[in-house]
Amino acid sequence: MMTFSLSTFRRWCATHAGTGQYRSFGRMAGVLLVLAMVGPAKLAAKPPKTTAYLFTYFTGNDKKQEAIRFALSQDGYHYTALNGNRPIVSSAAISETGGVRDPHILRGHDGKTFYMVATDMVSAKGWSSNRGMVLLKSNDLINWKSSVVNIQKKYPNQENLKRVWAPQTIYDAKAKKYMVYFSLQYGSEPDKIYYAYANKDFTDLEGEPKQLFFSPTNGSCIDGDIAEKDGKYYLFFKTEGQGNGIKVAVSDKLTEGYKQRDPYVQQTKEAVEGAGTFKLNNSTDYILMYDVYGKGRYQFTRTSDFEYFKVIDDEVQMNFHPRHGTVLPITAEEATRLAARWLTPADLFGTAQNKAIRQQNTVVDSAAAKVAYLALPGTSLQQFDPQLTTFGLTVKPSGPQNFAKGPVTYTVGQGSQQRTYAVSVTETHNPALNGYYADPAILHSEKTGKFYIYPTSDGFTGWSGTYFRTFSSPDLVNWKDEGVILDLNRDVSWEHKNAWAPCIIEQKTATGYRYAYYFCAGAKIGVALSDSPTGPFKDTGKPLLNQLPEGVKGGQQIDPAVFRDPQSGKLYLYWGNGYMAGAELNDDLVSLKPGTTQVMTPDKTFREGAHVFFRNGTYYFMWSEDDTRSPNYQVRYGTSTTPLGKITVPANNLVITKDPAQGIYGTGHNSTIQVPGRDEWYLVYHRFTYPKGIKMGDAAGYNREVCIDKIEFNADGSIKPVAPTHAGIQPVQR
């Protein structure tokens, strides 16, 4: 073997320049010499090409939920839980307390080692009960070695330490170490963000924690997340106890000098925590996400500069409900490894990305090896591709298939792990609206000739939505989202919570049309006006109804229903939960005529959701029985000879109820619509989301979907029971 000093190598190059020896050896030796001179310490590992994303999270404040879970995404927007949304590592095996929260994951500086840290805590023991964190390390994202760091036990003078929250890790290129940062609270002092370096093996911390960020207000700061961009460090954190929002502090140095910016960066007025940032693959943009913990959901925003953040919630989809977690870009190989270990065939079929598929209505029956996709109106089934996200797993066939002839057989996995599934795609018209909506009111606009549905925006824990949308259709089947028409936080001064159960009336005037939109906010009824059925609507500035009617001792002022009497032209408003009341409206549409309020509760089955229509000389009154969280929520009816008269209840007055054979439950809170000029009627109602609703417990009561089925009458005017369907109705031709 030849050896060279630098001077010898230079002389050799000069002597052999231009020869074949130089070309074949000299250049290679030069490269080797340069590498030797630079030294391995200065050679940075080439970043791996990342094409997918790993989301690590926990799911709630129950001990069983306080564990690390994984989810995969191909695009950073659509996430599928791994391992059936069960933990990927036992909390009892890695923690002191038996629970872990707030997991943060990081790719190491070498590009192939992974580090994870989490809060060592069981919330049931109290929010100030934990004293440490868990450190984890892996070479494959599957197998993890862990250790516990108890700050109080490790360092002296920690007697007043109350809690250690939300650790995260970042590589300090200057120190060539991994820095772990977290919040500590001592005694009555505010929470503050500290840092310490991990040892070489990532099993412990070196040196006592030092304060990283100094709040200009000396307020509590938790849930720190640092993102490096263009030579600057951006520290996102939660201002605990000061609005519970996300602020940013910026520095040129990792461990000091952070200056807080004034504005909050979360794009909601709800309380949030657990900010996490990640860079999108093949893009210069970043995602800032955070836990809207009071609503049980995440909000995703996109930014290119960490100053302006665009909400992208409508584009994000998950089949789980995460709490405080982080996302890591990963390679295709890493995604395949994770999928092979933890992605079940049933989960894989849930990754279908074809926008014609009703994602929330997919049925996967693993025992029977069947998958049923429900498709939107107008979907062609002859050449239909579910667009499965396989994460490298073998799935056959691929591409468009002919589902018009019936189910297509798919094979998933390899070797002994192969399974076959019969996959069907069916066009359905229920639910009528794609997504979670409830309490539908419907209008046919004389002005536009279109139908409009005005629902409660659903899917929010405890009915906590704060805005209203509307949808338009030419035929009662094909619906267009017209966007938000009233936002309590933006448009209503007297109440900002619980946007429920709206209704609307169209009034023709000498100068055009105007629309009065009645809505619930904070269990009070308000009214907003517009000259268009799609808004914008302007609130009157005060509630229309916020007190119980005289003689009523309990219940809520909710669920308004507005009705124009075709015989007299007068307008009426009905409302109530636990009771039913009605009154005549003034022509201004925003006030009730004094002395006209009547308590009209038809019988003991009345719960809420009154609705009134007129047909062949009879006033029909409908209402919902039972609780909206109950599978037995259903619609009954009675009749009267006047808009505010006594209601006669027929013996057989059930309009619509559950159908367990079809998996349909909770059918209630309806309205009706007559096709103009014809004795043709339709029932618009909500039901539990299908198929998951019946397994959701009380949560089914705020994860509902809007449906439409035909309503028919007997010769004597009595209403025939309506059979709830998935098929729905055919487009109405006019």
Side-chain angles (χ1 to χ4, degrees), residues 432-433 436-458 467-473 476 479-486 499-507 514-520 528-537 559-562 611 669-673 684-686 706-708:
L433 306 181
Y436 296 120
Y437 297 96
D439 312 323
I442 190 165
L443 168 77
H444 178 267
S445 172
E446 187 178 285
K447 177 180 180 179
T448 67
K450 295 180 181 180
F451 298 96
Y452 297 85
I453 287 180
Y454 300 85
T456 297
S457 297
D458 218 23
Y467 61 85
F468 296 98
R469 310 180 82 92
T470 191
F471 300 80
S472 66
S473 173
L476 292 176
W479 293 92
K480 176 186 176 183
D481 185 351
E482 297 285 358
V484 174
I485 59 171
L486 190 75
W500 300 346
C503 65
I504 194 167
I505 193 76
E506 179 182 64
Q507 185 180 61
R514 65 173 178 167
Y515 300 82
Y517 184 72
Y518 304 90
F519 61 94
C520 301
L529 300 175
S530 178
D531 59 3
S532 166
T534 58
F537 284 86
D559 296 0
V562 63
H611 172 70
H669 201 126
N670 72 287
S671 59
T672 60
I673 189 70
V684 190
Y685 61 97
H686 72 233
V706 169
C707 298
I708 303 177

Side-chain angles (χ1 to χ4, degrees), residues 514-586:
R514 65 173 178 167
Y515 300 82
Y517 184 72
Y518 304 90
F519 61 94
C520 301
K524 298 181 283 287
I525 294 173
V527 58
L529 300 175
S530 178
D531 59 3
S532 166
T534 58
F537 284 86
K538 182 175 177 57
D539 178 56
T540 59
K542 61 181 180 180
L544 171 63
L545 286 163
N546 61 358
Q547 293 182 343
L548 292 170
E550 186 177 349
V552 175
K553 296 182 179 180
Q556 296 176 302
Q557 289 70 250
I558 62 172
D559 296 0
V562 63
F563 168 68
R564 174 181 285 107
D565 181 1
Q567 297 197 114
S568 67
K570 294 180 179 179
L571 297 174
Y572 295 87
L573 191 72
Y574 305 88
W575 70 93
N577 165 280
Y579 67 93
M580 176 182 167
E584 188 178 342
L585 276 165
N586 285 314

Side-chain angles (χ1 to χ4, degrees), residues 77-93:
Y77 284 57
H78 301 83
Y79 291 85
T80 300
L82 296 178
N83 199 28
N85 199 29
R86 295 183 297 271
I88 57 93
V89 63
S90 166
S91 293

